[in-house]
Amino acid sequence: MKVLINGRLVDEKDATVSVFDHGLLYGDGVFEGIRVYHNRVFVLDRHIDRLYRSAKAIALEIPLSKEDMAAAVVRTCKANQIENGYVRLVVTRGVGTLGLNPYLCKEPQIIVIAAGIQLYPVELYEEGLSIITVGTMRNHPEAINPRIKSLNYLNNVLAKIEALNSGVMECVMLNPQGYVAEASGDNIFVVKGRTLITPPTWCGALEGITREVVMELAPELGYTVKEDVLTRYDLYTADEVFLTGTAAEIIGVGVIDRRPIGIGKPGPVTVQLAERFKEFTRVEGTLIE
Ligand code: PXG
């Protein structure tokens, strides 16, 4: 596998960063996870836009235009002959001193890894995920705003540990006010009749790209989409609950906190949206050529 670091394609064994990189020392950096379907990089521009918003939010100036960044992603996919896969785009603050001062880091490291993807087992998409609400709350927006897709994922990792230790693979995180924010690595939607409801980003949700795509596709299928505050009451009483993310795509939730949701497996709305999403992945994307 070839990894792109600062514009150079290197063998994966030589793809290294310094131990003084603030990405490692402080989780100081930003990233994106992007899918490749049928030789196309799916919604690439949206990922690039979010990467630059995240970078801006942490005062990290990326020394590359958005166009060149998009080209770097395509180039790395091509070099690795990725037709279907997963791209990890990482921008670290770069090498600095052992102190916190980010302004002493002069050269951000731009890393593109194009690889295969480890999917959830297919059975889970048919049976539905079992998840729990965890005690680890989502970061307060004035601590680390959850809209920033930063390298500092400890908040999510701690939530994931709670889930895994309880024997489930995902979890619902609440925000400091007790409202539903999102899952540890996915956004969350509730279905009530023909309405889809997802928490607004101020409730602690990442501006998920899959979330955004679902919000655009759903009205075409006759659904109403709303951003609204959700509590666990809304989850337990929902007709359906599903999660969205680049890796998971759209996955139905069957059980939350050991309570069956709706029919206890992915409902018809989730199934229909997942099919529509799949169709969209066949036609959308930046061609790798
Ligand atoms: N919320 C959070 C906190 C995320 O990390 C999403 C929502 C979904 O966003 P997109 O743009 O992908 O629709 C994410 C996705 C994993 C994994 O292994 C997931 C993410 C990052 C790294 C790993 O599940 N992010």
Side-chain angles (χ1 to χ4, degrees), residues 31-33 47 50 86 88 120 138 146 149 153 156 160 170 173 182-187 204-212 244-248:
F31 78 102
E32 282 296 319
H47 283 285
R50 185 174 63 184
Y86 185 78
R88 180 59 58 90
Y120 276 137
R138 197 73 181 94
K149 200 163 168 63
Y153 252 52
N156 314 62
K160 185 88 172 184
E170 251 298 1
M173 300 180 75
E182 60 181 341
S184 73
D186 294 302
N187 289 107
L206 180 75
E207 290 166 316
I209 308 284
T210 319
R211 170 185 183 271
E212 203 173 274
T244 63
T246 296

Side-chain angles (χ1 to χ4, degrees), residues 30-32 49-55 57-58 138-150 153 182 187 199-208 211 227:
V30 294
F31 78 102
E32 282 296 319
D49 284 345
R50 185 174 63 184
L51 181 79
Y52 281 70
R53 287 202 302 278
S54 294
I58 66 163
R138 197 73 181 94
N139 285 323
H140 190 286
E142 295 306 336
I144 301 176
N145 198 304
R147 292 167 74 177
I148 305 171
K149 200 163 168 63
S150 84
Y153 252 52
E182 60 181 341
N187 289 107
T201 55
W202 68 259
C203 279
L206 180 75
E207 290 166 316
R211 170 185 183 271
E227 287 187 327

